[in-house]
Each structure stands twice: as C-alpha cells, then as structure tokens.
C-alpha cells in the first residue's frame, strides 16, 4: 500500500517540479550533483576508484588528492527520499530483518544497495573502500559494518573522531585523529590507488576549500539581513550541497559559491527574499531558526508549510552537519592533517548538548529570530536525544518561544502532513498573537 | 418591550469526533451552543452545529424576553423548557421520518425485513412521544445525538424482531447503519424563525387556562424577537478539521489559540490548560489575557489520548462513560507501563488472565494516561495556577482524580477548573476571536475614515 | 551457611533498591564519595583509586514510575534514559557526586550533555573508549583519557589516584572478574544449579557494593550453588544477546527459564565482565587498563573491532557453551543491538545455529507472549538437535 502511495506521490511531485521557480544557483547545484552521479556510474569503467564515506567528517580533499570519487550514502538516501523511492527501499530492508525502530537512512541505503542503482536511477558502483568516518553519529559505525556485509570485497578504513564531551577539542583529540589519518587512512588510500599522497595537490585543494568556505559563511550569515535574502534551512540544503559532498576543494565548488554569493548579494541589494516553492518570499512575517534535519520525502510540502505563513528560516543547525564554519574555522592548507582533524572534530553533531544549546541561542539573538523550531526526526538519535531539554533551555535563555514538530528523514510513514501543519500553524499564530501583545477585547464570560 | 437589533459572533470547532458552535454577542456573552457529530461531510456538520447554536441562542433570548416581561416572568420557568422540548420533539420527529423513508428505501423486496423495519420504526415513534412528554425521567438528554438515541432504540427493538436464519439481526441493523448516514447528511431546515411560532402555540395549548391568559403577550414577545433577527457579523473556525471549513484563511485560528482564549474566558485565572481529546493531547500556557505563551502536543503516537480509553472500553465490553466510575472502585491500583494503543488490548488480557481485578487495572490505565499528559505539561513549561482541564476526558472522574493527585505531588497546590461545558472551549475561543477581528476591523475602518477626512482637508 | 537462594534474595533486594540505600550506607560508614557510571563499560578501578565508590546505574527497571523522565524524550527513544533522568530528578541518585557516560550510542552520549545541563554542580565525564586499537594511536589516546579522568575524579574526592592505589584497585577487580567468570562457567556447565535470575542479581549487586564485599558474596554464592542439590531439567541451552545496556526485568529472565530455556551465556550487566582477561598488575597501571581494554574487551555492538568477522565471536561462544540456539533479546529502540542483529542472524544461519528474537523495555510487564515464543523455540531446537 505504501508503495502505491509513494508512486502516486512521485507523480504529483514530478508534475509540480516543472512549475516551481528556482534560484539560478539551485539549478547549478542540481547540475553539479547529478553530474557527480553520472561520473560515478562510469567510474570503474574509467578505472577510477570509488570510496564510500559520510558527510560529517568527510575527507573530500584527501580523497580527491588520490583521484578517487566519494560516494555519500546519506546523500543517496536523501536523494532517494526526495524522489519518493525511499519507502520501497526501507520496506525491502525491513523484509531482510531490519527493525522498524532504527535509522531509515540505513534501511533506505541497504534496500537501494540491493538494486545496484543510485537514487537518480544511474548505476551505482560498489565501493572499493569503505571509509568509515565515525563523526558525531554512532549509527555510522553500524551502517558501514552492514555495507561491509553487502560488499565483502571492499577495503575498510575507520577514522574514529572523538566526541566533544566537554565542549572542547583538546590537543590529544586532534592528535588522535591526525595519527589515524597518517597510520590508517592515508596508507590504505595509497594501497588502494597505488600512488603516494601528493601533499601539494592536497594543499591546493584545501586552499580552494577555504575560499569556498568564506563565501558559504557569507551566504549563510546573510540571513541576518531584513528581509533575509536566503532561507537558511530549506534553501540552505541546496547551498551546502556541493561543499558537504564531492565538491569541497574543487574548482566547480569554488565557482558555485562565487555564483551563489553574487546571487544573494543581488537579492540583498534589491531587498528581496529567497525563492521558495511558492515563489519569492519578500514579505517575511516570521524569522525562524531551525534545529534538526529536514524531512526529505515531503521536502517541498514541508517548506511550503513555512512559506505559506510567510516564515523564513534565517539560520539552521542542519547546515552545519558537514562542517561548522561560522565560528571561524577554515581549512588551513599549511597544516593539512591538523586542519582535516579540526574539521572533523568540529562538525555540528560532534558538539555536546550544552554547546548545541548555546549555538542555537546565539543564532536566535544574532539573527533576530522571532522563534525557533525543533524538527525532531525519529531516525536520528544523534540529533534528537535531548532536544526537548535543549528547547526548554533555549526558551529560558532567549525568551523566545520554541516549536516542536516530529517526522522522519526518509521514511514516508512518519511524515504526517496534517499533524505537522497543525503544529506549525498553531506555532506561527502563537507568535503573531504574542507580537500583537493582546487580544483586545478578550472578554470574560461566565462558563 | 423591544429587543435591540444585535450583531453576533460565531465560533466553530470542527473536531475529529464532534463539531461545536458557539454564538456570542458583542459583549462576549454566550448566547447559544450547538454540537453535532462530525461526519464525512464537514460543511454539513458545521452547518448543523451552527444552526443548533442559533436555535439555542434564540431560545435563550426568548427566555430572557419572557423573564423581562412583568406578566410573563412568572411563567418563564415553565414556558422556557417546555418550548425547548417541543422544539426538539419536532426535530426528532423529522429525523425519525427521514430515517423511516431511507430504511424502507434500503430494505429491498424482502417482505419480512420491511415488516420488521416498519414495526420497529412504529415503536420508535411511540417512544419519541414519551421521550418528549416532559414527564420526569422520560426526558432525552440534550447532549445525546439522534444517531445515539435512535441507534440504541433500534438495536434493542431489532433484537426482538430478528429470527435465526430467516431474518438475521445483522441484516436489520445493517439497514439502520446505512440509513442513519442519509439522515445525517440531509440537512433539516428546523430554524427557529420557521418553527418557533408553532412550538409556542403548542406549548401554550398545553399550558391550559394560564396559556389562554398570556397567549397574546407571549406571542407578541416572540414577534418582537423575530422582528430583530440575529446578524452574524463575523465567524472564526478552528479544530483539527479547520482547513476543511468553508472560511477564508483569515478566519481560521488554531485550536491552541482558541483553547487558550476559551479557557481564559471561562476561568479568567487560567494560566495552564490541558486538553485531552480523542486524537490528541494539548498543554497550553496562557498569560493573564488569555494569550498563548507556549504549548506542546502529544507526539505522533496517539498513546494517552482519549482514543486509548475507547479501545479499552471496547476491549472490556463497557461504555466509555462506565470506565471512570469503575476505576474509582479500585482499592489496589495496578501499574501499567505502556499506554500504547496497539498493545492496550494484549496488556489488558494479560492482566485479566493474571487475575487482576478490572477496577484495579482500569485505575492503572487512567493513571498511565494522565502520566502521558503530565509529560506534555512538563514539556510545555509545567502547571501554573490556575489550571483548567478540558476535553472529553475531563468528564471522567478517575482521570480527574489521577490528574489531581499527580499535580499535587509534582507541582503543589493548584486550583483545578473543569467546566461542565468544557467541550465548547475551543468554539468559545473562536467566537471571541471573531469578536476581536470585528473590533480590529472597526478600529481600522475608523482610522481609514479619519485618514480620508484628513486627505480631503488637505485637498 | 546461607543457601544460594538466600544469597540471591539478598542480592535481589540490593538490585531492586533504586534509592541506592546500600550506597548511602557505605558513604556514611566510609566517608567516601561515590561516582555513577552508565552502561556498558567504565574503568571502575580509576574511580576507586581516587578514593570513591563506583556505582553502576542501569536504569530504574520496573521499580519506578516515570513521571518526569518522559517529558525529556520522544516516543522513539529507549526506556533507560527516561528512568535515569527520573531517578536523577527525583533525588534517587543524590548519593552520587558525579556520573560517567561511556561511549555506547548517541542516546547515552547525549544524556551526558543533558546531565551537564540539568546537574551543573555534578562531575560529568563522557568516556570515549577508542575504536582504533593500534596501541600507538588508540591505545595512547585512551591512556591519556584515563589519566584525564583520574585528574577529574581527584578534583571531586581530593584523593589522587596514584599508580599504587590504581594497581591495588586493579588487583581487587581482577579477583572479582575471575569470580564472575567462574560463576558463568559453572552456570554453563550446570545451568540447573545457577538459575539465570539468580546469577543476574548476584552479578548486578556488585554495581552497588565495594568490590571486596561483592567478591565475598560471589564466592559464597558459588559454593552454595554447587551444593544446592537442584535437579537438572530437560531444557534447551541458549545464549542471550542484546541486553548489554537497558536491562530486562527480572520477570522476563524468569519467564525464559520457565519456558524451557537454560541461559548458558548472556550479555546482561556486561560491564561487570567486559574485560575477559586479567589486567596486568605490574608496570604502568593506566597503560595496563588500556591494554586490557584493547586485548580483552568484549565483542559487543557498541565497540568497533577492525577486521572482525561479524558473528564469529557469537558462534564460538555457542560452541564453547554448548548452546543450541540464540535468543536475541534487545530493548526497543536500541540502535546498537538492533542494527547489529541482522548481521549476527546472517552469521548464525550460515553456521546452522537456530535463533529467535523479541524486544522488551526495562518496565515490560507482560511476559505471556514471550513465554509462548521462548517455549516454542526451546521445543523446536530440541527437536531440531535430535534430528541432527
């Protein structure tokens, strides 16, 4: 039944896709990403190696220095979700014995792996290496163990990135990661590709990363303008796409962020808002900070629920999962291993709860937000466990009311549109009512 | 004596099981309330609730008019209820007639079935006369819907008519189940305006000698009222099905805001509201003006909502309203760990198999539900003084007791408010929003008019 | 001399006492402070070397009613953190001056941050055990982490965990670990002498007792169990897997054995037996603890072991314990257990080992379905082994 539903949804989605206006950079982004999937499909034919790894703590510059292509299973899963294919893959994985209780990215990926295809329908090459970057998410570890079962011939390399339990990165933590890069990751990549690491090439890539990061931060911080020229959550997903995946350190990536920055600068000058699925959002009634990943299976519908109320997301934490740059960190080509370590250690889900709480509270203030919404997803305990306490703490610190909604990443069974919409409407109306500061004649009557 | 022409404001709460309407006047005073069960046709449910609220409003206006009249005042106590009964009697008979029509229409060619149906409906006709006779104990409860009253009567009578093999009970009741949908989906035009005179006539006829004496005066009071019909200035809709209401978006408010404002209107000291409805549980914090400052709702899972009690009632073969009183008999509460609706039945059977008493299990279940509510309250910011409890579960004594205990244990002394008409909280809030919208519009119009004048002066 | 059942009854009382009165008593008698630790494994020796009691916190089980804890967690998160928060907020953990949160999953990890926010005056440390087992890399990192833990704990107690003190604690725990291994060996050899419900409380009582006191109890229980004269029953032999964090209620363990399954090994209270071999009592004790973790750490879902053949360890365990089947008994919403399970099942199927599975939560109150399932499983594996 759910398959049937997914199919019919896919139909309406494809139909609306044509009509929805997009920012030019979004089209460029789409080209980049689908180009990468095209490149992957023929990678082995070209003799190019393929390494599977994760978005948080991805070592793209290092991989590209070895001329290997990265595959990001979370991206595959979310792309499958956006294309309404995830439901069937998850069902398939559950048939194989996976519990309904666990992460839907994993199940979607396992289900998809069995088809040999990627989310765009192109061939997905099996991994030559599984580079397990254990950063900010326990499930990653099990995920790659499961993939190892699917692809027994793949080499496995594990990069254990310690957690910022005390809210800081110590010299020993950095040193531990650097040592692993030197003794585990690099030797395995050298063995895989048959070539030595070209440090100059790596430095060149890192230099480009830093420049793109500069532009990315400028774009993300443009959400401080009134009106905000960007949607830092739904739109932000597009903006982070290239730098969180295969394009950090590349020329295309650097170019993309230049184009994006110019585009956003133009909107700032014209006092325009971002383009949402409902068109430009110039009349912004609510400035919102969002915590938690988006829902992918109903991504557009979800965004529309904000746009229709005139709500713009000025900042989000999800746009920091693949790298936290707005507190000053940039890749530093002069210290390639140390900088990669710092990058990994600093990803958002590797921060402890007090740090995350403080960061959101800071966003609420710095971006002059009217509110913040926690989107809690069933799949991701790394994000979700503790969010209710964070919500309360942030309310206490900022005096701004928090909203709480729940769904999932790519399991369509857990997105209840009516439920989410009901809460969002109630939340925005509450802000509106509080803003008016009174109900005028809130007359009292006898019961 | 004359009735001023008046504007009124309507709030509609389209819930998952019932649809409620409240009519208020410009001072915010409740004039009338209407309720019906929500059905597949939302427009209709909304229309029926609204028209019931208006009948109720007009009826109460008439009662006030009678009370205000020096001669009629002495009779108001008799005339009021009698008039209302007469009105509801007519309504009931009309619905019964529709039921008869559709039952016979659905019965097909089977003679035995037709005969049984005719006999049942004839007996229901007799029962109807008794129900509205005004005799003590015979009165139908106002809160009961035609579906429930007629359904119960029909089922009981059908038992007597059914014959094994030849005319199965299921066949007879099956006709009712289909026919009642027709009754519910056929709007009846039982307006106050169109029927009040006849009802009053009948009432006065039955009032004997006194009826004759006051007839002219009573009819004049009615005419005066009818000459000044209520005018709906503004309506606001709310409730889970609010998106389905035929209202523009500007006239829709979330249940959260409406519940907050409605509870504030009923109990002005309210700071925290708990609403446990069929499908969801809401905890709302409001300030001294009834403005919502925070809220939380249950998560996706419906555990701990009213529906859970429904499952339990079904599982135990009890009526929903019987659960609370039975749980109150408990002397040794069983601890229930799961309020999962999916497991409710299994857990219950396990417990019964272990020899636990029904009342003890039920006491545990009620506490488990309230524990879920306590979590949602805590998430929303806790329980402030005063605390108002609304929704269907607020009528359940065992749930109220569990709530009272847990609040006292965890938050200390709190004044707990429960209104007998708490089911109308959301609709009342919506009506108050309608009033407020009108006032805002008036203020804006005043300003605009002022601006025009200014511009004219400039020109 | 006390009987095995009597000793177990005393232990059960300790285990079920969520108010930690036994820890409170020890605090009062010894003037020592106490540090709690969550599953799975924490280096208790360091806590004790710092002059404090180490107390395992495994949740409230079916002993407490969750009133506040649910407010902090969504419905899709396991039960253990709810009851731990409940205990913390209701003062049941007041006997503890700090809390250690070992790396096990994202829920426990985030719970460490929640503890920092909720109890700002308590010592909180997240213990990031290494997943890289290269001594020069992960080993050294862990040694540093242990020393850092020692410094932090010294700040709480005022007692520096010197090398000597640490070696002393290691020796006491080595003895305790040997006794627990003997207990598990005895149960595997003669499961009728050591019902799992008893073994479980005997092991778990150690989480609230000074180690010497606990070792004395285990020793006494071992002797009593050997001479208990309990008669063997015709039951199947199974290994229980998945209960390494949130613990099943006692009723569930009793149900399994009553349904015809002798549990001949398990991962209950795994932290107590996490190190499968002795820790070196000579040389640098910090390094010794780290080396033991790398060399003798248990194979469990939360720990990454490079090159590990999934399920191999479990199959070996079944052989060693002469188990006829595996019961996957995991808490609902337990990421580590449930993500691992399909891999283990695949391996068992390849090795022709029968298995069954169900989920519980620590406050599960219904065992009827589990009884039937376990009974059927037990019957089927015995029939199956007769066929072989």
């Amino acid at each position: 039944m759910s398959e049937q539903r997914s199919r019919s949804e896919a139909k309406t989605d494809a139909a609306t896709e044509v009509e929805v206006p997009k920012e030019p950079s979004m089209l460029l982004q789409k080209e980049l990403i689908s180009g990468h999937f095209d490149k992957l499909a023929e990678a082995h034919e070209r003799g190019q190696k393929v390494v599977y790894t994760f978005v948080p703590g991805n070592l793209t510059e290092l991989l590209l220095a070895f001329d290997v292509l990265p595959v990001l299973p979370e991206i595959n899963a979310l792309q499958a979700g956006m294309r309404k294919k995830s439901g069937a893959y998850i069902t398939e994985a559950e048939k194989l014995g996976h519990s309904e209780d666990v992460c839907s990215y994993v199940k979607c990926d396992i289900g998809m792996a069995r088809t040999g295809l990627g989310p765009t329908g192109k061939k997905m090459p099996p991994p030559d290496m599984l580079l397990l970057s254990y950063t900010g998410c326990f499930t990653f570890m099990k995920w790659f163990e499961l993939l190892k079962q699917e692809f027994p011939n793949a080499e496995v390399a594990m990069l254990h990135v310690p957690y910022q339990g005390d809210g800081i990165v110590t010299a020993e933590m950095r040193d531990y990661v650097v040592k692993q890069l030197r003794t585990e990751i690099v030797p395995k990549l050298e063995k895989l590709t048959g070539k030595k690491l070209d440090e100059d090439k790596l430095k060149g890539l890192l230099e480009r990363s830093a420049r793109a990061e500069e532009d990315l931060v400028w774009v993300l911080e443009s959400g401080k303008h009134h009106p905000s020229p960007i949607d830092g959550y739904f739109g932000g997903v597009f903006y982070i796409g290239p730098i969180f995946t295969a394009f950090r350190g590349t020329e295309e990536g650097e170019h993309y962020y230049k184009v994006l920055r110019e585009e956003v600068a133009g909107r700032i000058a014209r006092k325009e808002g971002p383009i949402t699925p409902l068109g430009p959002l110039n009349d912004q009634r609510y400035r919102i900070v969002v915590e938690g990943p988006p829902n992918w299976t109903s991504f557009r519908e979800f965004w529309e629920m904000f746009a229709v109320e005139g709500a713009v997301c000025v900042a989000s934490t999800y746009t920091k999962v693949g790298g936290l740059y707005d507190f000053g960190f940039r890749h530093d080509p002069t210290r390639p291993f140390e900088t990669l370590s710092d990058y990994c250690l600093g990803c958002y889900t590797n921060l402890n709860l007090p740090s995350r709480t403080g960061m959101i509270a800071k966003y609420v203030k710095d971006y002059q937000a009217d509110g913040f919404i926690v989107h809690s997803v069933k799949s991701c305990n790394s994000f979700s466990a503790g969010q209710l306490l964070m919500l309360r703490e942030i309310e206490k610190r900022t005096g701004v009311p928090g909203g709480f909604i729940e769904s999932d990443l790519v399991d369509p069974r857990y997105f209840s549109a009516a439920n989410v919409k009901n809460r969002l409407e109630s939340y925005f109306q509450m802000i509106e009512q509080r803003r008016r500061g009174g109900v005028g004649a809130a007359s009292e009557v006898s019961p | 004596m004359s009735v001023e022409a008046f504007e009124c404001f309507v709030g509609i709460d389209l819930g998952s099981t019932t649809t409620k309407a409240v009519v208020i006047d410009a001072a915010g005073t409740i004039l009338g309330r209407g309720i019906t069960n929500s059905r597949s046709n939302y427009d209709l449910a909304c229309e029926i609730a609204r028209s019931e609220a208006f009948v109720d409003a007009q009826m109460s206006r008439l009662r006030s008019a009678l009370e205000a009249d020096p001669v009629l005042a002495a009779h108001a106590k008799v005339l009021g209820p009698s008039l209302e009964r007469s009105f509801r009697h007519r309504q009931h008979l009309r619905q019964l007639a529709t039921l008869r029509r559709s039952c016979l229409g659905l019965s097909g060619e089977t003679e035995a079935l037709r005969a049984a149906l005719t006999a049942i409906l004839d007996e229901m006709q007799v029962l109807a006369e008794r129900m509205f006779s005004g005799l003590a104990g015979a009165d139908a409860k106002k809160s009961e819907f035609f579906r429930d009253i007629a359904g119960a009567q029909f089922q009981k009578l059908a038992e007597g008519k059914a014959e094994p093999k030849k005319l199965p009970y299921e066949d007879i009741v099956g006709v009712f189940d289909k026919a009642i949908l027709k009754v519910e989906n056929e709007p009846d035009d039982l307006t106050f305006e169109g029927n009040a005179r006849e009802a009053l006539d009948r009432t006065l006829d039955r009032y004997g000698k006194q009826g004759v004496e006051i007839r002219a005066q009573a009819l004049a009071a009615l005419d005066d009222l009818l000459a000044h019909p209520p005018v709906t200035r503004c309506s606001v809709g709310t409730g889970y099905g609010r998106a389905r209401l035929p209202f523009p978006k500007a006239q829709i408010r979330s249940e959260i805001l409406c519940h907050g404002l409605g509870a504030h209107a009923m109990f002005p000291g309210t700071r925290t509201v708990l609403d446990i409805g069929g499908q969801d549980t809401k905890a709302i914090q409001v300030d001294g003006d009834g403005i919502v400052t925070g809220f939380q709702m249950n998560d996706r899972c419906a555990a701990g909502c009213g529906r859970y009690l429904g499952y339990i009632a079904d599982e135990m073969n009890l009526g929903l309203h019987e659960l609370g009183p039975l749980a109150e008999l408990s002397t040794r509460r069983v601890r229930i760990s799961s309020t999962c609706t999916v497991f409710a039945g299994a857990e219950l059977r396990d417990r019964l198999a272990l020899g636990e008493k029904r009342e003890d299990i039920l006491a545990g279940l009620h506490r488990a539900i309230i524990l879920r509510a306590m979590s949602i309250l805590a998430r929303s910011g806790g329980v402030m003084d005063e605390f108002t409890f609304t929704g269907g579960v607020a009528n359940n004594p065992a749930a109220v007791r569990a709530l009272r205990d847990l609040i006292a244990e965890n938050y200390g002394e709190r004044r707990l408010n429960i209104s007998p008409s708490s089911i109308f909280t959301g609709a009342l809030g919506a009506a108050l929003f309608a009033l407020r919208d009108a006032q805002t519009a008036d203020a804006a119009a005043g300003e605009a008019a002022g601006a025009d004048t200014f511009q004219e002066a400039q020109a | 001399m006390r009987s095995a059942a009597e000793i177990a009854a005393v232990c059960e009382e300790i285990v079920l006492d969520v108010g930690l009165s036994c820890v409170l008593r020890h605090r009062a008698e010894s003037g020592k402070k106490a540090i709690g630790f969550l599953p799975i494994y924490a280096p208790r020796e360091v806590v004790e070397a710092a002059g404090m009691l180490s107390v395992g916190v495994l949740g409230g089980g079916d002993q407490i009613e969750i009133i506040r804890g649910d407010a902090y967690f969504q419905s899709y998160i396991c039960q253990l953190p709810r009851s731990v928060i409940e205990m913390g907020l209701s003062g049941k953990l007041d006997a503890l001056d700090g809390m250690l949160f070992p790396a096990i999953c994202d829920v426990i990890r985030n719970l460490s941050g929640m503890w920092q926010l909720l109890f700002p005056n308590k010592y909180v440390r997240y213990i990031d055990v290494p997943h890289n087992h290269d001594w020069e890399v992960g080993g050294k990192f862990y040694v540093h982490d242990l020393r850092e833990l020692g410094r932090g704990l010294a700040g709480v107690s005022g007692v520096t965990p010197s090398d000597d003190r640490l070696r002393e604690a290691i020796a006491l725990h080595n003895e305790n670990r040997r006794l627990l291994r003997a207990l598990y060996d005895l149960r595997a050899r003669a499961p009728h002498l050591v019902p799992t419900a008893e073994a479980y409380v005997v092991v778990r009582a150690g989480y609230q007792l000074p180690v010497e006191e606990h070792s004395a109890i285990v020793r006494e229980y071992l002797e009593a169990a050997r001479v208990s004269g309990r008669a063997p029953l015709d039951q199947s032999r199974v290994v229980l897997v998945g209960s390494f964090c949130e613990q099943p209620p006692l009723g569930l363990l009793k149900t399994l054995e009553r349904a015809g399954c002798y549990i001949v090994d398990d991962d209950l209270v795994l932290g107590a037996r996490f190190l499968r071999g002795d820790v070196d009592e000579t040389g640098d004790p910090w390094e010794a603890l780290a080396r033991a973790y790398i060399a003798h750490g248990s194979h469990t879902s939360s720990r990454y072991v490079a090159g590990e053949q999934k399920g191999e360890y479990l199959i070996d365990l079944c052989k060693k314990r002469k188990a006829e089947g595996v019961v996957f008994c995991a808490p609902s919403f337990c990421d580590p257990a449930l993500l691992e399970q399909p891999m283990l099942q695949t391996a068992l199927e390849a090795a022709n080992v029968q298995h069954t599975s169900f989920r519980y939560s620590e406050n599960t109150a219904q065992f009827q379905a589990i009884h039937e399932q376990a009974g059927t499983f037990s019957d089927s594996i015995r029939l199956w082994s007769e066929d072989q």
Side-chain angles (χ1 to χ4, degrees), chain B residues 276-400:
Chain B
I276 307 186
Q279 295 291 355
D280 59 22
T281 300
K282 311 183 254 288
I284 308 169
Q285 307 289 343
V286 294
D287 66 12
D289 296 319
I291 307 219
V292 176
T293 56
F295 71 91
Q296 284 288 326
M297 296 167 87
N298 60 298
D299 42 40
R300 268 193 88 262
C301 146
C305 296
R307 182 57 54 93
Y308 176 73
L309 283 176
Y311 285 121
I312 299 299
D314 288 349
E315 194 68 36
M316 285 194 164
N317 248 331
L318 289 169
L320 192 53
H321 57 281
E322 295 172 276
L323 292 182
L326 186 54
E328 288 280 273
L329 301 176
S330 164
T331 49
R332 215 187 119 267
R333 189 181 64 226
V334 168
R335 190 189 299 158
I336 303 287
S337 53
S338 159
T339 46
C340 178
T341 32
V342 182
F343 295 131
E347 171 136 22
L348 199 62
R349 283 189 294 273
D350 262 23
R351 296 285 185 176
L352 289 169
L354 287 172
E356 311 263 23
K357 285 198 201 139
R358 284 204 308 185
E359 54 265 36
D360 293 341
I361 300 171
L362 279 175
L365 288 169
H366 281 84
R367 185 170 171 97
I369 285 186
I370 295 303
L371 278 172
R372 296 282 305 194
M374 290 293 289
S375 297
I376 296 163
L377 280 165
R379 287 180 194 179
S380 78
V383 178
M384 308 294 149
D385 205 26
E386 300 168 5
F387 174 59
T388 301
F389 185 21
T390 67
V393 177
N395 298 324
N396 178 319
V400 172

Side-chain angles (χ1 to χ4, degrees), chain C residues 5-53:
Chain C
E6 280 164 356
I7 300 164
V10 171
C11 292
E12 182 170 333
E13 202 177 310
I14 295 171
V15 167
L16 298 184
D17 176 17
V18 285
L20 303 182
S21 51
C22 150
V23 178
L24 285 167
R25 180 166 50 81
H26 280 283
R27 275 183 71 116
E29 283 168 6
S30 65
K32 284 180 177 177
K33 291 187 170 182
I35 297 289
F37 65 91
L38 269 93
I40 304 176
Y41 165 77
R44 299 177 66 182
E45 290 91 335
V46 180
V47 177
E48 285 154 28
M52 293 186 282
L53 301 161

Side-chain angles (χ1 to χ4, degrees), chain B residues 119-134:
Chain B
I120 290 170
L121 287 156
D122 287 346
E123 285 177 56
M124 285 171 73
Q125 195 87 24
V126 176
L127 287 174
E129 297 306 328
R130 250 226 341 261
M131 246 193 319
F132 293 96
S133 62

